[in-house]
Amino acid sequence: MSASLITVETKENASQNLIIQRPPVGLSLQGRIRVPGDKSISHRALMLGALSQGETEIQGLLLGEDPRSTAGCFQAMGAEISELNTELVRVKGIGLGRVREPVDVLNAGNSGTTLRLMLGILASHPGGFFTVTGDSSLRSRPMSRVVKPLQQMGAQIWGRKNNSLAPLAVAGVALKPIHYQSPIASAQVKSCVLLAGLMTEGETTVTEPALSRDHSERMLKAFGAKLSVDPDTNSVTVTGPAQLYGQKVIVPGDISSAAFWLVAGAIVPDSNLVVENVGVNPTRTGILEALAMMGADIQLENQREVAGEPVADLRVRSVRLQSCTIQGNLIPRLIDEIPILAVAAVFAEGKTVIKDAEELRVKESDRIAVMAQQLNKMGAKVTELPDGMEITGGTPLVGTDVDSHTDHRIAMSLAIASLLATGTTIIQRAEAAAISYPNFTATLQQVCR
């Protein structure tokens, strides 16, 4: 598939259409590629570096819009952060308890991670007044899930719709430790409460109904926080007040970004693709388990550990996929990958059921509704469930006009689906991919042969 068959059209309002025209024969995916740095780890490295004493060095940082929002917020509060790049970013920390009151509103852009985690930091810094907001999408996403536990700790937070929507105003105060029984398995909720606990006298504990990604726990330990984990009860405890010290952080490739190539390599015939240097933290590898259930041919090569995080090269070869049911405790470990898993299900034999994923309705878009609508436009058979989807595979896709709804994971998922749609597919507002994967289109052109 020549690069000319994958083109970008920039419109007057700066939005972009990604145009994919499938060739009549001969498309396969080949080569070795690297995906951007892990978004979750990039956020946390910038935040903890900013809150540390001394200097933190970060290699492999994701250059998407979301980490830029995190860096901008912490620069506004006194951290010195060098120009963001993938080679080396230096963060001169301000130290816990020394966050500077910003002179303007802190803008988290499109990043729910930035806003939700930052609330725990702001609420626990006495004497500071902070106002936080985001773009139109983020201002519609629920913040009560982190505001409520912070209020139990004594936080003073005000916002729209009973303190549940940004913009939010925060008056930092001395908080009290709590044991929070989270109703959902959410790394953002857990991380927000733990970050608040860093400045709180005593033990702050979060217990989850299922294990969510554990990047915060790993990194907090590495930066010097006193932290204990009880895997039997899905509980983690941080003891405050803490002091953090600058570290060297190497960010592995983001498995959420690798997921697009794993599915593409599995469904496009005669493909053999290697995605190098991918983080395979067990709390993030639900996508590998789901694809294994579907019969995908994926091997982990060159397994190693980098800065406390397990890393491997992932080789995927094309194979005929089978349907499966994705549910329960697997969901928190692949919640971001469900849009691309829906694409895999379209090309699998039988009916795939995805449930227990109602969290998808409050992401950058309602990902359940949007994926169902857009894939059905292309001829798929997708039925919405309140908490997921039923997808009957095997129906040929036909190219048409589809829309990302300004959601980066929707844009990239539709691009992968388009590789096997007859004719031409136009993905509107495809520039959304840059939120987490600025070079997605270039990589797509690179691997299509």
Side-chain angles (χ1 to χ4, degrees):
M1 189 171 186
S2 70
S4 63
L5 297 180
I6 303 174
T7 56
V8 176
E9 175 186 77
T10 302
K11 302 167 77 172
E12 287 185 5
N13 61 0
S15 73
Q16 292 179 344
N17 289 341
L18 178 59
I19 304 168
I20 297 177
Q21 184 176 356
R22 178 189 171 191
V25 293
L27 171 64
S28 70
L29 305 184
Q30 307 290 331
R32 303 181 71 91
I33 59 173
R34 290 203 171 203
V35 294
D38 187 287
K39 186 150 71 89
S40 297
I41 296 174
S42 294
H43 280 303
R44 288 159 174 80
L46 289 168
M47 288 186 184
L48 296 190
L51 294 173
S52 295
Q53 292 184 355
E55 186 173 86
T56 291
E57 295 183 351
I58 307 170
Q59 295 178 2
L61 186 84
L62 170 66
L63 291 184
E65 293 302 317
D66 285 5
R68 293 189 187 280
S69 296
T70 292
C73 288
F74 282 86
Q75 284 172 322
M77 293 185 286
E80 295 180 21
I81 302 175
S82 66
E83 183 179 351
L84 298 192
N85 63 82
T86 59
E87 300 302 318
L88 179 64
V89 175
R90 298 183 186 276
V91 182
K92 187 175 180 182
I94 44 185
L96 273 170
R98 300 176 64 186
V99 168
R100 182 188 306 162
E101 188 176 76
V103 298
D104 204 346
V105 174
L106 297 169
N107 192 336
N110 188 249
S111 176
T113 301
T114 304
L115 183 47
R116 292 192 178 112
L117 269 59
M118 194 165 59
L119 284 173
I121 296 165
L122 305 181
S124 61
H125 275 71
F129 181 79
F130 313 89
T131 305
V132 294
T133 190
D135 66 10
S136 59
S137 169
L138 189 57
R139 292 196 302 273
S140 69
R141 294 167 66 183
M143 295 298 140
S144 55
R145 61 185 57 185
V146 292
V147 170
K148 287 180 179 177
L150 291 175
Q151 288 175 330
Q152 288 182 28
M153 299 176 76
Q156 297 185 18
I157 301 173
W158 303 268
R160 295 184 300 126
K161 293 205 173 175
N162 196 28
N163 310 324
S164 66
L165 295 179
L168 294 161
V170 184
V173 296
L175 302 181
K176 62 183 180 183
I178 61 169
H179 183 166
Y180 185 60
Q181 300 275 351
S182 180
I184 57 173
S186 166
Q188 292 183 357
V189 172
K190 174 173 61 177
S191 301
C192 172
V193 176
L194 294 177
L195 289 170
L198 291 175
M199 285 283 292
T200 302
E201 185 83 38
E203 294 186 345
T204 298
T205 301
V206 181
T207 297
E208 299 182 286
L211 184 63
S212 66
R213 59 186 63 175
D214 68 352
H215 300 303
S216 290
E217 295 95 301
R218 290 171 182 259
M219 197 172 291
L220 281 167
K221 280 185 178 179
F223 275 76
K226 184 179 178 183
L227 186 134
S228 61
V229 177
D230 183 353
D232 293 334
T233 61
N234 297 322
S235 298
V236 57
T237 300
V238 65
T239 302
Q243 189 57 259
L244 306 180
Y245 300 94
Q247 301 294 318
K248 291 185 178 180
V249 179
I250 301 175
V251 182
D254 196 328
I255 196 168
S256 295
S257 295
F260 300 103
W261 308 118
L262 297 179
V263 170
I267 64 176
V268 175
D270 302 318
S271 295
N272 185 348
L273 198 58
V274 178
V275 190
E276 299 178 336
N277 196 48
V278 179
V280 288
N281 182 312
T283 62
R284 294 285 300 282
T285 51
I287 177 67
L288 299 182
E289 293 174 44
L291 288 173
M293 289 162 56
M294 301 177 84
D297 180 2
I298 299 172
Q299 271 92 43
L300 275 68
E301 302 176 347
N302 190 22
Q303 296 186 56
R304 57 209 185 273
E305 190 166 286
V306 177
E309 290 278 351
V311 174
D313 301 338
L314 304 180
R315 181 183 295 273
V316 57
R317 298 180 179 91
S318 54
V319 70
R320 186 72 176 174
L321 297 180
Q322 306 295 321
S323 59
C324 69
T325 298
I326 302 169
Q327 62 183 339
N329 290 346
L330 188 57
I331 294 295
R333 296 191 292 115
L334 51 62
I335 191 71
D336 286 337
E337 291 76 69
I338 288 177
I340 190 60
L341 276 172
V343 173
V346 168
F347 296 97
E349 293 182 3
K351 180 182 287 185
T352 296
V353 179
I354 301 170
K355 54 187 181 180
D356 302 322
E358 58 269 35
E359 171 77 6
L360 286 177
R361 293 200 180 273
V362 292
K363 291 287 188 175
E364 285 85 335
S365 67
D366 180 340
R367 287 179 174 162
I368 293 173
V370 172
M371 282 305 296
Q373 291 162 3
Q374 302 305 309
L375 288 174
N376 286 340
K377 276 187 189 179
M378 300 175 75
K381 294 182 178 178
V382 184
T383 302
E384 276 190 59
L385 305 174
D387 62 347
M389 293 174 263
E390 285 185 356
I391 303 164
T392 302
T395 304
L397 298 190
V398 178
T400 187
D401 283 16
V402 291
D403 192 328
S404 77
H405 286 247
T406 68
D407 187 320
H408 55 123
R409 302 204 192 279
I410 301 290
M412 291 183 279
S413 297
L414 294 174
I416 300 305
S418 302
L419 296 177
L420 291 178
T422 56
T424 301
T425 304
I426 299 175
I427 303 164
Q428 297 172 4
R429 297 191 280 184
E431 74 280 357
I435 291 287
S436 62
Y437 203 150
N439 296 323
F440 174 77
T441 300
T443 304
L444 184 63
Q445 292 171 325
Q446 172 192 337
V447 300
C448 287
R449 305 287 171 84

